Amino acid sequence: MSRSIRAAGLVHTPLIAAIREGLATGQLAPGDRLPSEAELAREYNISITSVRRGIDTLVSDGIVKRIQGSGTYVQTARPKASAAATTVAVAMNLMLKTYHPFFSEMRRGILTGIADAGWNVWEYPFVSKHDQNRDLELVAIEDGVVDGILARNDIAGAIIGASTIEELAPRLHTHIPIVAPDATPACPYASYDWDMELERLIRYQLRRGARNIRIMRAVRPEVMARAQAAEGVTARIVPIAFKFSHLLSELAARAFDATLAAFAEDPAIDGVIIGDDFAAQGVVDALQKLERSWPETVQVAALVNKESVIRTPRPFTTLIADGYANGRAIAVLMDEHIRRPDEAPRACTLSCTLHEV
């Protein structure tokens, strides 16, 4: 079992999260026997008492079962939703669904798809906690999201943003399947992998001859090691931090400055990938200021929303995500996990079209 998930909270939370991750990734299968309490205590550097508390939580959630004199085993099947469960909970960050064109369209598709599948919708809007004095990615959520879901007896499933899943997953019962709009190791059922699409754009630029690539990204600047797989290729993240209070205009300005700084540091850059359409306009404006003939001399590609409008006199390669269609696909995945939990796919392929120039 992986210890890559270190969720905040109780001492035994990483143990719970790792077991859930093991089930999600196939490292653990129904019927598998868990290591002994002593072995788990050593592996996670916690006391046996903490191990027992973590196992107790997993037992109460129906994930594992204890067999006297034999050990603790993964349950053979997840309990199905009760007949009273008629509602799907949808918890999306209020800022994202209000200001972000992709997520606002995704929300509309989710709500329509859930209703069309015959489920009631209970929407829980929330605002993430974040440090007002620093430019940070959203780091935590209000506890009320989980408490609100668990307080109701009619919830059949939950659609929750990936940035909240690590905190939520250890607390939600296994008879409440979770689907996240973004892929995350802590989520049992993920619907989309944003980083996978960035890698798709990297491969595209490699085919077009770019070898010194910069990835301009507004949120979650993870380093993608696979981008360096091709010999002689340099692919680096240029993180662009922002606060929601500043939104589009501030982010575009920061992307503009970051692009100029990147080219000043290395004028030989021959590929630019824009990982968030919030930043796209600033990057494009900076390239025009540099008077670079792109995309002829600098390969430029962006991962943008269908509803986004980027002002530029020259076209560039775009990977376009259709928020509404993706939202409906997420709703279908949610419906499948509720109605046939033992057969439903772990993920779905969302609509993302490559437009070449």
Side-chain angles (χ1 to χ4, degrees):
M1 289 182 292
S2 170
R3 285 187 289 175
S4 61
I5 300 174
R6 305 298 293 180
L10 300 174
V11 173
H12 59 257
T13 299
L15 166 62
I16 296 174
I19 290 175
R20 287 181 180 274
E21 179 186 358
L23 286 168
T25 60
Q27 292 176 294
L28 284 174
D32 282 356
R33 182 181 182 276
L34 296 185
S36 68
E37 292 178 349
E39 290 171 327
L40 291 172
R42 286 193 298 271
E43 181 177 358
Y44 291 92
N45 195 29
I46 58 178
S47 68
I48 288 182
T49 300
S50 294
V51 170
R52 288 172 182 165
R53 288 174 180 167
I55 297 299
D56 287 344
T57 299
L58 294 168
V59 169
S60 67
D61 285 353
I63 297 175
V64 301
K65 62 181 178 181
R66 289 188 175 99
I67 298 179
Q68 187 69 29
S70 179
T72 303
Y73 294 83
V74 178
Q75 286 276 38
T76 57
R78 185 173 72 248
K80 299 182 184 299
S82 68
T86 59
T87 302
V88 172
V90 179
M92 295 185 68
N93 183 281
L94 185 61
M95 296 291 232
L96 286 176
K97 77 175 188 180
T98 302
Y99 297 108
H100 197 301
F102 177 76
F103 284 102
S104 61
E105 281 296 292
M106 178 180 284
R107 170 182 172 269
R108 190 166 68 89
I110 287 172
L111 299 184
T112 302
I114 290 298
D116 287 349
W119 300 99
N120 299 321
V121 176
W122 177 63
E123 191 171 11
Y124 190 104
F126 66 92
V127 177
S128 294
K129 304 170 187 173
H130 60 286
D131 192 329
Q132 295 285 351
N133 300 317
R134 290 183 293 168
D135 296 328
L136 293 175
E137 172 188 357
L138 302 180
V139 294
I141 65 163
E142 299 292 348
D143 291 338
V145 177
V146 183
D147 295 336
I149 292 174
L150 294 180
R152 298 175 60 115
N153 60 10
D154 64 337
I155 300 298
I159 298 174
I160 305 167
S163 62
T164 70
I165 289 295
E166 281 198 16
E167 188 168 336
L168 290 173
R171 296 185 57 196
L172 286 177
H173 297 293
T174 53
H175 70 277
I176 302 179
I178 311 168
V179 169
D182 292 4
T184 167
C187 179
Y189 312 109
S191 58
Y192 189 60
D193 191 337
W194 203 258
D195 287 334
M196 178 187 70
E197 298 296 356
L198 285 180
E199 291 184 51
R200 181 179 170 190
L201 287 180
I202 291 173
R203 291 194 297 271
Y204 172 83
Q205 289 205 343
L206 293 180
R207 289 198 303 272
R208 298 192 64 158
R211 289 295 179 268
N212 189 12
I213 301 170
R214 293 298 177 273
I215 303 163
M216 320 297 292
R217 187 152 195 196
V219 181
R220 295 188 314 164
E222 297 94 342
V223 177
M224 293 175 292
R226 287 188 293 274
Q228 301 282 8
E231 184 177 355
V233 172
T234 300
R236 297 176 183 168
I237 295 281
V238 179
I240 306 169
F242 74 104
K243 290 188 286 192
F244 271 112
S245 58
H246 293 145
L247 295 173
L248 296 175
S249 59
E250 177 68 15
L251 183 56
R254 294 183 181 212
F256 180 89
D257 293 340
T259 304
L260 293 181
F263 275 90
E265 179 183 346
D266 186 358
I269 294 172
D270 58 8
V272 174
I273 294 175
I274 310 169
D276 191 301
D277 58 347
F278 272 11
Q281 190 63 57
V283 175
V284 167
D285 289 346
L287 290 171
Q288 291 173 349
K289 180 178 177 63
L290 290 167
E291 298 183 351
R292 291 184 171 270
S293 176
W294 59 276
E296 290 83 358
T297 57
V298 178
Q299 299 295 325
V300 181
L303 181 56
V304 302
N305 304 320
K306 184 179 181 181
E307 304 302 318
S308 296
V309 177
I310 310 300
R311 300 183 304 277
T312 171
R314 299 180 183 179
F316 58 93
T317 303
T318 52
L319 192 60
I320 298 179
D322 185 335
Y324 180 76
N326 291 351
R328 290 190 64 90
I330 290 170
V332 169
L333 183 64
M334 178 85 271
D335 181 61
E336 290 178 338
H337 278 292
I338 296 172
R339 298 186 188 279
R340 50 186 190 93
D342 300 326
E343 304 173 21
R346 180 176 181 270
C348 65
T349 301
L350 301 188
S351 172
C352 213
T353 307
L354 184 66
H355 288 246
E356 299 187 43
V357 294

